[in-house]
Structures are given as structure tokens and as C-alpha cells.
Amino acid sequence: MTNIALVDCDSFFVSCERKLNPELKGVPVSVVSGERGCVIARSREAKQLGVPMGIPLFQAVEKYPKCIYIPTNHYAYTKISKRVMSILKEFSPNVQVYSIDEAFVDFTGLTKLYKKNIYDLGLYIQNRILEEVDIPVTIGISTSKTLAKLASDKAKNSKYRVAIVGRQTRIKLLKQTEIDEVWGIGRRLGLKLRGYGVKTAYDYTQRDDGWIQKRFGINGLRTKSELLGNMTSPISNEIECPKSISDTKSFLEFSSDLNFLKNELSIHIHNCCKRLRKIDCKCSTIGVLLKTKDFKTHYEKINLDTPLDFEFDISKIAFEMLDKIYSSNTLYRSIGIVFENFNSNIEEQLSLFSSADKQKQDKNTKLGKSLDILEQKFGRNIVRTGFVNKDVPFKQGFLTSPQEI
């Protein structure tokens, strides 16, 4: 029988901050999206204080002064996540990294290998991650991904934070699970299902296949099959291109300085380009996001004729987009970049008249990879690609053109 585990890092951003600073353990902690951002992660103690998810920092500080607020450090979180995932890959050859803090692990056959039952194996992996990485995890185990996700949710309220959903416990759990709590359904589809009288996951499994397919298609049928304990979505080790890649951060102080905005945007572009090159893809759509002091959002998006993954090429286009939505009379709190519609470099096709472009792309590819190697060897932001106006003092570490490397 197939056994799938969902390993979920508990309050991951908060756990990372506590790993970096052990004095934060046991006290109310919230991670915010920036110095002027919103709460995006909370410790159990912060939840007990009543700190809501998404509350702006200035309101949170006023209403919940006993909580400690820390800006995000995505670079550190990514490094810690890789350590967690590397341990999981030591146990099983089939690990699907679902997000920065979640992974599906194929437990099939591991009980004989490690001479432990499924539950004890979950505890063993949990303890190993806690001892070596200092990150607490919750583990849900069942015969399908959807049931493993429900098992993980159940485990969060258990003493040892490991739960198994088998044949005997599945029906009871489905009857206790609200329909919008099922992985892949969510609130909007849940409201629609409630309109049909489907209130729980168990109600959903009792509906006829034809009824489900007519209203929700093949994905609806797969969800039902997964809830019944059948694996319809196998664990995949292949790295897939994400639907989007974005990078944004709030400023320490509000600003209307266009040169400052371009410098900040350049940093975000570099971070996203680095992630693109890591998955060997290029983007065909670029979006520039600009948020004002009073939280109004301006967004400009463009589709590219040629997919790109290099900072200087993308910056030139992004700066033109920024000029369209920028106003010198407005104070801004944050800026960001969004990449969408990815093309794998392996599948990339060039036109008959693109030899010159191909040479330029090859040169840019080598240059981009050189930047990545430098950062990997000497640390993040050892070299920064960015816009520097001749009337603004030069910032150490910033480059104004490829020729300066």
C-alpha cells in the first residue's frame, strides 16, 4: 500500500527567526512583509494575543504592543528550507517540494528499511529535523496527497504533531472536515458546493461521479478519488516552472525619488532573475508593482516578444513601465516585480534571423551565471545590478552597465 506524508514546517517564518535568535522562543512573535508591511506569520503566542493575519504593522504595534515584530528575511528562510528538504531526501528518493515550508514524501517501503512503523518513522524524521535544523514540523500520513494534507491539519492539534489517516479513521475525519477545508476546494468553490447541500468532505464523496464531473470536471473527480484514499496525483521529483515569480519589499521611509525607486526595483529584478536561472527558465511577461503611502496599488504589465532572464535586459523594459505609473507628487511605500509565463531554455526555439541575438543571449547567460556564482561564493548582494543616476552619489557594489564587470 502506498503511504504519502506531508511534512509541514510549523509557522515557518517565525520558526526560522527563532532559530536565528533563540531568545525569541516562547514569546509572541510576528513576521511582517517589510518595515511598513503587514503581518504574514504569527507564533502560537501571538495568535493567543489576538494578532490577526494581514494586519498592517502600524496598527499591530498600537493594538498588540507585547508582540515582537520582525521584517522578513527570505534569503535566510530559503537556506533553512533547503536544509529541511535535504534531510527528507535522505529518507526517501521521492520527495516533492510543494512550497518553501511543505513537502510530500513517499513513505512506501520505508518501514522495512528503517524497521519502524509509519507513526514511529514520522516521529523519527520530525526529531531529526528538530535536532539538526531546529525547525519543528508537523507530519500527516495517508494513502493520497489530499488525505495527507487533512492528516497534517489534524496533527497540528495533537500532542506529538504526527497523525495517520487510515481506513478506520478516514470516514470519521471526512465527516468532521468542512468542505472548504479540503485541499484544492477553498472558500469560493466551497460556497458553491454548500449551495448544493455539500457541507462536509464526506458529503462530497457521497455524490455521484456524473454529478461531480458535470459541475467540476475531471479535477473534481480526482478530488473525490483522493478523499476515498486513492492516489491520483503521484509524487514527482521534477522541478516545474512556477506560475509566477515575484519580489517586493516595503521601504524604510516613504519616497517619491524616481532614482531610488529604480535602484530598489533593480534589486528585486536581480533576485527574480537569479531564481529564473536556477530553474533554467525565461519569462515572457513582466509586471511592475508600485504601492503608494496610502496602500493604493499601481500595476503595469507587458508581454515580451522574446523570453528573458537577464537583469539588464529586463531592467530596461521595467524602467519604462515604471515611468508610466510613477508620479513625482506621490509618496510610495514599496515597489516590486512580477515574472509570469515561463519558457524552459531546453525547449526554446530561435528564429532564422536570430544569430546576432543568440550571441547576445549567450553572453548575457554567461554574465548572469557569473553573478550567481559570485553570490554563492562570497555571499548575497556581493554584487548588485542596479540603476545609478550620474547626479546621485555612486553606491558601492552597484553596476551601471555590463561593461563595468
Side-chain angles (χ1 to χ4, degrees), residues 30 39 42 45-53 55 60 64 67 69:
S30 291
V39 171
R42 303 161 296 165
E45 296 82 1
K47 294 176 183 178
Q48 292 173 350
L49 282 179
V51 180
M53 186 72 80
I55 184 174
Y64 310 98
C67 186
Y69 301 93

Side-chain angles (χ1 to χ4, degrees), residues 16 262 329 366:
C16 289
K262 288 184 176 180
N329 299 321
K366 293 179 181 179

Side-chain angles (χ1 to χ4, degrees), residues 276 281-286 304 306-309 314 338-343:
L276 268 182
C281 287
K282 294 180 180 178
C283 69
S284 298
T285 302
I286 298 174
L304 306 176
T306 303
L308 300 173
D309 70 346
I314 293 177
V338 180
F339 292 169
E340 297 175 329
N341 296 325
F342 303 118
N343 299 64

Side-chain angles (χ1 to χ4, degrees), residues 84-98:
V84 173
M85 302 307 169
S86 66
I87 291 177
L88 295 178
K89 291 174 182 177
E90 289 181 20
F91 282 93
S92 174
N94 296 321
V95 176
Q96 181 176 346
V97 179
Y98 184 66

